């Protein structure tokens, strides 16, 4: 028997896939200025639809609003929250910057004095610590990040509006792209499944993060931490980043408290309350509400944070897990890619497809 010369050699196939992967990563990295606003807009579109569907679950609201009015209410709600959050962040960053620029840190100074009595070199001082990473640089980076988000906000808003307007033409486009009824039905089911999983995941994470942010705000207010609203919003945003975000949501406000507090007991209580909030949210509330909707391997979650963080920076860490969830659902729907979905999953169980 003669070998089948029409069959592509395995090495050529592997090389082709490596080139495709390298090209895709390069496109994601160098095209991030264009792709990030689109990705954020798509996720906001999912959240708006999730809020609209939640409103329609109540009979009174369903009879009063209807699908289109529910979407309008959802858009206005998110727009109002975004504007209010931007104002709160700006006001609180100003207060925090004023406190940090005073250069006083009673508690940290006492701790350094105690450390020096134990034999720590005298060179370890507040000036030496602030010289390693000047506060001006930290504040400048924070302001630059906020300005970047504000500059993209109008573009993201336009993307979301056009996505909402184009929803009514989706079925017509589907018929034009897939004339065969069976294939069209399969594609429609796949898109519906991906949309449903993304909406459920994002909506549950939004609610859990909202609870974490609210509790963080109340805890910081109770302990007298300046800029409590900002720390609450920061905890809300960081909660979308598994593990690393929860750690940062505790460490960052506590470091600020270390620089401004003069009572070690209050600092210890703040650390305990914030850590307890993150533990309950991550280990109790999240597993019960999320169920199988985040059935991802812990290694895959960490790898996703690293890869998307390298590709798209801090915004990539926020978007990495939703994108991975969507990719897992898509792979589970394609027979040739099901092994990839199994590898991405935590226990080998795939979404119901």
């Amino acid at each position: 028997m003669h070998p089948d010369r029409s069959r592509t050699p395995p090495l050529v196939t592997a090389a082709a896939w490596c080139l495709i992967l390298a090209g895709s990563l390069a496109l994601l990295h160098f095209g991030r200025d264009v792709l990030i606003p689109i990705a954020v807009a798509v996720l906001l579109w999912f959240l708006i639809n999730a809020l609209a569907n939640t409103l329609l679950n109540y009979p009174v609201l369903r009879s009063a609003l209807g699908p289109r009015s529910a979407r309008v209410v959802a858009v206005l709600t998110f727009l109002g929250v975004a504007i209010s959050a931007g104002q709160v962040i700006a006001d609180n960053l100003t207060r925090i910057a004023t406190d940090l620029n005073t250069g006083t840190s009673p508690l940290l100074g006492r701790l350094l004095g105690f450390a020096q009595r134990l034999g720590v070199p005298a060179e370890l001082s507040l000036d030496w610590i602030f010289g390693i990473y000047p506060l001006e640089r930290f504040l400048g980076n924070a302001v630059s990040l906020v300005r970047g988000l504000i500059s993209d906000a109008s573009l993201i808003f336009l993307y979301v509006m056009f996505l909402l307007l184009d929803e009514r033409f989706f079925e017509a486009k589907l018929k034009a792209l897939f004339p065969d009824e069976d294939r069209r039905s399969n594609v429609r089911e796949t898109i519906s499944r991906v949309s449903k999983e993304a909406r459920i995941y994002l909506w549950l994470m939004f609610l859990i993060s909202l609870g974490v942010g609210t509790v963080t705000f109340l805890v910081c207010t109770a302990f007298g931490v300046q800029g409590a609203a900002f720390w609450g919003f920061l905890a809300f945003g960081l909660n979308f980043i598994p593990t690393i975000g929860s750690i940062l949501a505790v460490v960052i406000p506590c470091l600020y408290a270390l620089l401004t507090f003069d009572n070690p007991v209050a600092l210890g209580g703040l650390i305990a309350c914030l850590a307890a909030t993150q533990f309950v949210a991550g280990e109790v509330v999240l597993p019960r509400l999320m169920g199988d909707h985040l059935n991802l391997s812990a290694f895959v979650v960490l790898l996703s944070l690293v890869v998307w963080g390298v590709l798209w920076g801090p915004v990539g860490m926020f978007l990495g897990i939703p994108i991975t969830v969507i990719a897992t659902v898509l792979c589970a729907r394609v027979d040739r890619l099901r092994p990839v979905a199994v590898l991405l999953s935590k226990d080998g169980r795939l979404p119901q497809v």
Side-chain angles (χ1 to χ4, degrees):
M1 296 179 63
H2 297 285
D4 185 5
R5 296 184 179 180
S6 64
R7 184 178 180 183
T8 305
L11 288 178
V12 175
T13 303
W17 278 109
C18 288
L19 288 175
I20 293 173
L21 178 61
S24 300
L25 293 177
L27 178 62
L28 288 171
H29 178 67
F30 293 107
R32 59 186 180 272
D33 291 339
V34 175
L35 296 175
I36 287 176
I38 295 175
V40 173
V42 171
L43 294 181
L44 285 176
W45 176 51
F46 282 133
L47 272 175
I48 288 171
N49 280 319
L51 177 56
N53 290 336
T54 301
L55 294 174
L56 294 175
N57 286 334
Y58 297 94
V60 176
L61 294 177
R62 183 168 59 247
S63 60
L65 294 176
R68 291 187 179 180
S69 298
R71 285 189 177 88
V72 172
V73 171
V75 170
L76 293 177
T77 300
F78 276 101
L79 186 61
V81 169
I83 294 174
S84 301
Q87 186 63 44
V88 168
I89 291 173
D91 294 342
N92 283 269
L93 273 178
T94 302
R95 297 176 186 174
I96 292 171
T98 302
D99 286 345
L100 291 179
N101 284 329
T102 58
T104 60
S105 180
L107 179 56
L108 184 57
R110 290 164 58 185
L111 292 176
L112 290 176
F114 178 74
Q116 290 173 2
R117 288 195 295 272
L118 294 178
V120 176
E123 289 80 8
L124 184 62
S125 63
L126 287 176
D127 293 336
W128 180 81
I129 293 174
F130 293 151
I132 296 178
Y133 192 80
L135 294 176
E136 292 80 4
R137 189 191 308 172
F138 169 79
L139 295 174
N141 291 339
V143 171
S144 298
L145 179 60
V146 172
R147 285 178 179 174
L149 293 175
I150 293 174
S151 64
D152 289 337
S154 57
L155 182 60
I156 293 172
F157 178 75
L158 287 176
Y159 284 152
V160 172
M161 290 299 99
F162 280 105
L163 283 171
L164 292 171
L165 290 174
D166 282 350
E167 282 186 30
R168 53 181 173 169
F169 304 114
F170 175 74
E171 186 62 29
K173 293 179 181 179
L174 201 61
K175 288 181 179 180
L177 289 172
F178 304 99
D180 182 70
E181 176 61 31
D182 293 336
R183 189 178 180 187
R184 183 167 67 249
S185 177
N186 184 55
V187 172
R188 185 189 297 111
E189 186 180 351
T190 300
I191 295 175
S192 176
R193 182 66 187 180
V194 170
S195 178
K196 180 181 178 182
E197 287 293 326
R199 286 201 309 268
I200 292 175
Y201 169 76
L202 290 171
W203 185 238
L204 290 178
M205 284 300 300
F206 177 82
L207 293 178
I208 295 171
S209 300
L210 183 62
V212 170
T214 302
V215 174
T216 300
F217 164 75
L218 294 175
V219 169
C220 291
T221 300
F223 281 92
V225 182
Q226 188 67 264
F230 172 74
W231 302 121
F233 181 81
L234 183 67
F236 165 80
L238 289 174
N239 196 65
F240 283 88
I241 304 177
T243 308
I244 298 175
S246 299
I247 295 173
L248 292 177
V250 176
V251 171
I252 295 177
C254 289
L255 284 177
Y256 171 75
L258 177 63
L259 296 174
T260 55
F261 277 18
D262 58 1
N263 186 351
V265 176
L267 178 62
L270 177 67
I271 295 173
C273 291
L274 293 181
T277 300
Q278 294 295 335
F279 177 81
V280 171
E283 301 299 327
V284 179
V285 179
L286 181 63
R288 290 191 177 185
L289 291 182
M290 195 66 68
D292 295 333
H293 295 289
L294 191 58
N295 187 31
L296 295 177
S297 164
F299 174 75
V300 169
V301 171
L302 179 61
L303 183 63
S304 176
L305 294 177
V306 173
V307 171
W308 286 103
V310 171
L311 292 175
W312 286 357
V315 179
M317 300 184 74
F318 286 92
L319 302 176
I321 302 305
I323 292 175
T324 306
V325 170
I326 293 173
T328 303
V329 177
L330 284 174
C331 290
R333 297 277 314 176
V334 181
D335 291 337
R336 291 184 178 181
L337 297 179
R338 284 179 68 86
V340 177
V342 172
L343 292 176
L344 293 175
S345 67
K346 179 173 63 177
D347 52 14
R349 292 185 296 109
L350 299 181
Q352 297 297 320
V353 296

